[in-house]
Amino acid sequence: MTKEIYLTGDRPTGKLHIGHYVGSLKNRVAMQNSGEYEPFVMIADTQAFTDNARDPEKIHRSLTEVALDYLAVGLDPKKTTMFVQSQIKGLFELTEYYMNLVTVARLQRNPTVKAEIEQKGFGESIPAGFFTYPVSQAADITIFKAKKVPVGDDQEPMLEQTRELVRAFNSAYNTDILVEPQGVFPAKGLGRIPGIDGNAKMSKSLGNAIYLSDDADTVAAKVKQMYTDPQHIQVSDPGHIEGNVVFTYLDIFDPDKAQVASLKEQYQQGGLGDMKLKRYLTEVLESELKPIRERRASFEEDIPAVLQMLKDGSDHANQIAEKTMTEVRAAMGVNYFDGLK
Ligand code: TRP
């Protein structure tokens, strides 16, 4: 039986943080190791250009960082094809054809793109490529005939759009070559973890993230700054656990649930100080992050090998993509010269 293809990706606009790890990377490694899928993981540099066109260096730098993060968490090139979006030329071609099967009005309704436009402050100057990136993302998914797409909740509109494009293409060209994908979403509470400052979103621009590449001292220092309960002043004061980032992180990272329950009880009663609690969280985080950091450091010693891995992955991905493109061209009848020399 052929295995189901799963595909996902990340824009290379910075290093990956522990939010990416619990919300997505960990699950990708589990899916990879289950042996039930044929996994593709894409560094979406083309998409990163849609809002960083004038900062190519950031994209180049982040490409290597993201690849190192992938290897560090345990994505294994023997099992997962890791590749680079811009190297798959068929994607540009398929995107262009898809553009004709979607309306401007439909694209304007995409809530995630709307929110991003707002957040990036594009105003009236929205790059056309940014506005249409969901179309390019539909090409990413369908060129590999991916059935499963593990992504954050904010990506559901992209999947909806992709399914519409699949139906539009198959119907316009009277074919069934394209496959409708399903999203695979993070477990409750893991989709978005708060930043160390208590902001609902962990992000580079807010400066509130813990990176997979942070060293042990940096992690300890970030935990020290973490938002707890501003009313918990004396160790003996009863403290609140709601909105207290230390407890949110313990709920996510500490496998010892009984221990977390007992710490919560002590904290609410009074007598458990923030310093002590934060030292404990640092240990918990370290037991998860230390092996990742060590693997990252060893891969970092041979960057050319990391690039070679991405090249090999891209070559493999290209072969699959070209197979679909041969079918796409035939379905559209733009294979005029087939059979000619
Ligand atoms: N838009 C995704 C993000 O910002 C990245 C991405 C690009 C992607 N192409 C994809 C995700 C295809 C899944 C499938 O996270």
Side-chain angles (χ1 to χ4, degrees), residues 7-11 42 44 47 133 137 140-141 149 151 155:
L7 174 126
T8 187
D10 304 278
R11 290 183 202 168
M42 180 179 79
Q47 192 174 107
Y133 90 72
Q137 190 159 332
D140 300 339
I141 295 167
V149 183
V151 276
Q155 299 293 300

Side-chain angles (χ1 to χ4, degrees), residues 43-262:
I43 303 186
D45 62 335
T46 310
Q47 192 174 107
F49 271 99
T50 67
D51 64 334
N52 291 275
R54 288 169 183 82
D55 196 357
E57 241 130 69
K58 172 160 93 181
I59 296 171
H60 305 160
R61 210 181 329 117
S62 305
L63 184 120
T64 319
E65 297 289 359
V66 169
L68 285 168
D69 288 329
Y70 286 167
L71 293 166
V73 298
L75 288 178
D76 173 358
K78 288 197 203 74
K79 299 178 188 159
T80 295
T81 302
M82 288 171 258
F83 70 100
V84 180
Q85 186 182 19
S86 61
Q87 304 308 299
I88 313 300
K89 303 307 175 201
L91 286 175
F92 296 91
E93 189 180 353
L94 188 57
T95 300
E96 191 72 19
Y97 290 136
Y98 282 172
M99 287 293 183
N100 309 314
L101 300 171
V102 64
T103 64
V104 172
R106 174 67 185 87
L107 288 171
Q108 270 164 340
R109 283 201 303 273
N110 186 311
T112 298
V113 175
K114 258 194 210 169
E116 281 176 296
I117 287 171
E118 183 80 10
Q119 174 211 328
K120 292 173 198 292
F122 281 140
E124 293 300 299
S125 312
I126 308 163
F130 185 81
F131 177 65
T132 54
Y133 90 72
V135 180
S136 138
Q137 190 159 332
D140 300 339
I141 295 167
T142 53
I143 209 166
F144 297 103
K145 302 193 176 179
K147 283 206 180 133
K148 294 274 157 38
V149 183
V151 276
D153 297 311
D154 64 339
Q155 299 293 300
E156 176 58 25
M158 312 307 166
L159 284 148
E160 193 55 50
Q161 187 100 71
T162 303
R163 289 189 287 267
E164 285 174 29
L165 277 162
V166 166
R167 293 195 287 269
F169 184 96
N170 284 347
S171 134
Y173 305 112
N174 199 16
T175 179
D176 59 1
I177 57 170
L178 298 182
V179 179
E180 288 189 39
Q182 297 301 324
V184 181
F185 300 99
K188 239 192 153 110
L190 298 184
R192 174 154 289 178
I193 74 168
I196 56 168
D197 58 354
N199 191 300
K201 194 180 171 182
M202 177 175 283
S203 84
K204 191 179 169 175
S205 48
L206 295 169
N208 62 2
I210 295 177
Y211 294 95
L212 294 173
S213 49
D214 280 346
D215 61 30
D217 290 345
T218 306
V219 173
K222 286 180 177 176
V223 173
K224 266 196 192 139
Q225 291 168 34
M226 207 170 261
Y227 180 86
T228 58
D229 170 6
Q231 274 141 41
H232 186 240
I233 296 159
Q234 309 278 355
V235 172
S236 56
D237 291 341
H240 292 87
I241 58 171
E242 307 79 33
N244 185 323
V245 182
V246 177
F247 282 107
T248 310
Y249 281 28
L250 283 176
D251 279 334
I252 294 168
F253 290 97
D254 192 351
D256 188 348
K257 298 302 165 206
Q259 169 77 330
V260 177
S262 125

